[in-house]
Amino acid sequence: MGINSYYRPVWTCGRYDDRQQVAIFYNNISGYCYFFEDYSAAVIGEILAVGRNEEIELTIVSTKLNISKESLSPFFKQLEELGLVSSIYPNAEIIKDYRIRTSEYNCQLAKIEKTTKEKLPYAITNAEQLYTEKVGGITSVMIELTYNCSEKCIHCYNIGATRNDEEKSNRANRQELGLEEYKKLIDDLYDQGLIKVCLSGGDPFSKPFIWDIIQYLYDKSIAFDVFTNGQRIVNHEERFANFYPRSVGISIYSGKPEVHDFITRIPGSWDKSMKVVKRLSLLGVPLNLKCCIMRPNVKSYYQVADIAKQYGAVPQFEISLTDSIEGDKCVSKFLRMTPEQLEIVLRDDNIPLYVGKEAPKYGAQVRNMDDNPCGAGYNSLCITPEGYVIPCCAFHVILGSLKRDDIQEIVAQSTELNYWRHLKLSNYEKCGKHDYCAYCNLCPGNNFIEHGTPLKASEVNCYMAEARYKLALRLQHNEDPLEGKSVREKLAELPDYIPMNIHRVLSNNYSETRSKTGG
């Protein structure tokens, strides 16, 4: 006799769009999400219609959707294998056991050595992309809750950040949105089709009502990511895990505590962040270890990949460091890797911008001049702490203000957003018109930071593009900077970093403007 009922586990969330008959369903312990269409989507809609840990009777679903029980049973069995439904009531013991099994699996999976080709970041169509393509609209949003932070990272691009202890921080000098304003924003976005939120900052846990925001997202069954340093969730890991974040990105800059703490300028910060990583790993929370590579940590950044393997996390390395949103060029002047350092790091296949013969065209990307090179502002937006709506956290052209208008009005009426959405790469002054442009990870936000327009190529973008292009040419002529050695061996040969006087280097400030988007 078959199973007559299942339960929707507490760790799931998702959304069904009856207009397009598509659904997205998240398993927030495994970290996977799944896309469904037609009849299968309607079934997911019935599952999502019940509360978490509530019972789903197959007979009722069968009658309502006019689908035979014989057809539903194997489908529900498949869903159970994916952790999306459970034939056993998911009590505390079941949840604990599932967390442990998932944590052990993640750790085992992370330790499996992959070939370079397996590591390369090929563009793949995932469930969220498929769902968004079908329903359209704003389906994801990043909310920068505050620029306040429990760390003082020397490379921080947020407005008001300092580079040394003598400089005055202006992070807190903002008229930030309140809790009720955020609830209204989330409600309005949900009405437009929102499925996922990323909570960022600063550090989002520096916001006094962060737990209220998390509770609100959880209650509305909205998937959410969190970018944090973890400092303020020490000893609160289980409380956090019980809201089942889709993923948690934690900043770890080295396997050496002293290197990490030099970058954060907070003694003991490595120990606290690592305590959170270890605890969340045991709780089966999907983890990303985020590491910006710069001169102070270039000789030890790779140790973050070793830590990630140990705790079943995904290492996320970033080498395209961004200068400050408010025009401070400290990062490119004092912290950006030198050409010698960069060509070694670019040979590391853990780096998304890897250059090598295993990558198509050694890492080059053919661009369509009739397309916009950046997808920000189409199905995703970013909200600054004071309620400005911008395309993304690195692209601070103001599309509107939530203190004056509803998000629906901004999306529908913003002339800046309309202008941006109709741009083509051919509209750019230099971008896409040189051989090295095929190696550019083109960020219009960097262009805007430097010139007040996305159309003029930034030095930051061109620096990386030209470095990758020159390296590709060398490799094609059998000139490898590794010289037969491993990346780690070559990094060890580099001179040690000598701390220097890092300070603001102010240039033009185009942040918080609406008028520089185009001509």
Side-chain angles (χ1 to χ4, degrees):
M1 188 174 180
I3 300 172
N4 294 315
S5 65
Y6 287 82
Y7 297 89
R8 177 196 160 193
V10 68
W11 57 78
T12 63
C13 69
R15 184 130 197 205
Y16 170 60
D17 186 295
D18 58 355
R19 180 174 54 89
Q20 295 294 336
Q21 280 202 299
V22 293
I24 189 165
F25 205 0
Y26 290 86
N27 177 335
N28 291 320
I29 288 183
S30 74
Y32 292 104
C33 62
Y34 304 88
F35 173 75
F36 300 89
E37 291 184 282
D38 301 325
Y39 289 112
S40 62
V43 174
I44 300 302
E46 293 301 311
I47 297 171
L48 290 170
V50 306
R52 293 182 175 92
N53 273 15
E54 289 188 2
E55 191 174 12
I56 309 143
E57 293 187 24
L58 266 61
T59 302
I60 294 175
V61 176
S62 172
T63 302
K64 186 169 181 180
L65 298 180
N66 195 26
I67 302 174
S68 70
K69 237 180 111 177
E70 290 73 22
S71 297
L72 286 174
S73 292
F75 182 57
F76 269 78
K77 188 174 181 180
Q78 289 178 325
L79 293 178
E80 184 168 31
E81 291 172 356
L82 298 175
L84 298 174
V85 297
S86 175
S87 57
I88 304 171
Y89 180 77
N91 59 26
E93 285 302 312
I94 295 292
I95 296 170
K96 181 180 179 181
D97 177 69
Y98 188 42
R99 287 189 191 278
I100 292 171
R101 286 189 288 110
T102 302
S103 176
E104 291 174 347
Y105 174 77
N106 289 340
C107 290
Q108 291 171 358
L109 190 65
K111 291 173 183 175
I112 297 174
E113 290 295 331
K114 296 181 180 179
T115 66
T116 294
K117 211 156 192 177
E118 289 175 318
K119 292 181 181 180
L120 293 178
Y122 292 114
I124 57 172
T125 300
N126 61 29
E128 290 173 339
Q129 288 174 322
L130 288 168
Y131 184 87
T132 297
E133 287 170 4
K134 288 288 185 179
V135 304
I138 303 299
T139 55
S140 69
V141 65
M142 173 179 280
I143 299 178
E144 296 181 312
L145 287 173
T146 181
Y147 290 150
N148 291 327
C149 189
S150 48
E151 293 180 340
K152 299 180 290 185
C153 295
I154 54 178
H155 64 290
C156 181
Y157 62 71
N158 279 336
I159 296 171
T162 59
R163 311 302 173 188
N164 57 62
D165 290 337
E166 285 69 50
E167 293 176 348
K168 180 182 178 182
S169 172
N170 291 310
R171 287 177 177 271
N173 296 344
R174 320 197 69 76
Q175 297 297 316
E176 298 181 350
L177 296 179
L179 177 58
E180 295 307 313
E181 289 172 301
Y182 277 117
K183 287 182 177 179
K184 182 182 185 306
L185 169 65
I186 292 167
D187 288 343
D188 290 346
L189 285 168
Y190 189 81
D191 290 341
Q192 293 190 66
L194 182 71
I195 59 172
K196 185 180 71 174
V197 168
C198 177
L199 299 176
S200 182
D203 185 73
F205 287 93
S206 294
K207 192 74 171 178
F209 51 73
I210 174 65
W211 293 104
D212 299 287
I213 296 289
I214 290 174
Q215 180 75 60
Y216 200 70
L217 292 169
Y218 179 76
D219 289 343
K220 290 188 76 74
S221 201
I222 297 172
F224 68 94
D225 301 335
V226 178
F227 294 166
T228 179
N229 56 44
Q231 301 292 297
R232 288 185 170 158
I233 52 176
V234 173
N235 300 324
H236 299 284
E237 296 90 348
E238 188 164 356
R239 177 188 181 188
F240 183 40
N242 286 340
F243 285 107
Y244 302 97
R246 190 196 75 110
S247 72
V248 179
I250 298 181
S251 300
I252 302 290
Y253 299 116
S254 172
K256 296 181 177 181
E258 65 273 17
V259 174
H260 175 94
D261 291 359
F262 173 82
I263 292 172
T264 65
R265 292 164 52 211
I266 299 293
S269 59
W270 188 91
D271 290 330
K272 284 187 176 182
S273 293
M274 282 305 305
K275 181 178 180 180
V276 172
V277 169
K278 295 172 186 178
R279 183 65 183 140
L280 291 181
S281 173
L282 290 173
L283 290 167
V285 175
L287 291 173
N288 300 320
L289 301 190
K290 301 167 70 66
C291 177
C292 293
I293 306 173
M294 60 197 99
R295 293 180 204 175
N297 68 342
V298 68
K299 295 188 67 171
S300 61
Y301 78 86
Y302 61 83
Q303 296 170 349
V304 174
D306 299 334
I307 294 171
K309 285 183 179 180
Q310 185 177 356
Y311 295 106
V314 176
Q316 289 187 340
F317 293 110
E318 178 59 69
I319 61 174
S320 297
L321 272 65
T322 299
D323 275 323
S324 168
I325 299 300
E326 58 185 339
D328 175 7
K329 297 184 71 64
C330 165
V331 170
S332 57
K333 183 174 178 62
F334 298 117
L335 299 174
R336 181 171 67 187
M337 284 182 283
T338 65
E340 179 189 14
Q341 294 169 339
L342 184 55
E343 68 176 6
I344 296 173
V345 174
L346 284 170
R347 297 289 290 124
D348 183 347
D349 59 9
N350 282 314
I351 304 299
L353 296 180
Y354 170 82
V355 177
K357 64 181 181 180
E358 300 88 352
K361 299 184 179 180
Y362 286 79
Q365 180 182 359
V366 178
R367 295 187 180 276
N368 187 337
M369 298 297 288
D370 291 326
D371 288 342
N372 194 326
C374 175
Y378 288 86
N379 301 110
S380 63
L381 291 170
C382 179
I383 313 298
T384 72
E386 61 274 57
Y388 290 128
V389 180
I390 57 179
C392 89
C393 60
F395 189 5
H396 269 240
V397 59
I398 293 179
L399 308 175
S401 171
L402 294 173
K403 292 184 176 179
R404 292 193 299 268
D405 302 306
D406 292 335
I407 189 69
Q408 298 98 322
E409 296 172 320
I410 294 171
V411 171
Q413 301 174 15
S414 170
T415 56
E416 287 84 0
L417 182 57
N418 182 63
Y419 167 81
W420 166 247
R421 286 176 169 177
H422 285 85
L423 277 180
K424 300 176 181 179
L425 185 54
S426 58
N427 298 133
Y428 286 57
E429 292 183 17
K430 293 183 179 180
C431 298
K433 299 175 174 65
H434 303 276
D435 290 340
Y436 60 80
C437 291
Y439 293 85
C440 183
N441 187 34
L442 205 168
C443 174
N446 283 338
N447 291 356
F448 185 79
I449 289 170
E450 189 169 332
H451 302 294
T453 170
L455 301 182
K456 190 172 182 178
S458 75
E459 186 274 339
V460 171
N461 286 342
C462 292
Y463 179 83
M464 183 61 63
E466 291 179 16
R468 296 183 72 224
Y469 174 63
K470 291 176 183 177
L471 176 56
L473 290 180
R474 287 187 61 189
L475 292 173
Q476 290 170 35
H477 290 87
N478 297 315
E479 299 175 13
D480 190 340
L482 296 183
E483 301 175 322
K485 301 176 182 178
S486 70
V487 170
R488 298 187 182 199
E489 288 171 336
K490 287 298 292 184
L491 291 174
E493 295 176 359
L494 293 172
D496 291 337
Y497 175 74
I498 300 175
M500 62 178 71
N501 178 27
I502 301 172
H503 56 83
R504 295 186 190 186
V505 182
L506 294 181
S507 182
N508 294 322
N509 184 356
Y510 297 110
S511 66
E512 299 182 4
T513 180
R514 301 182 61 142
S515 60
K516 299 289 185 179
T517 325

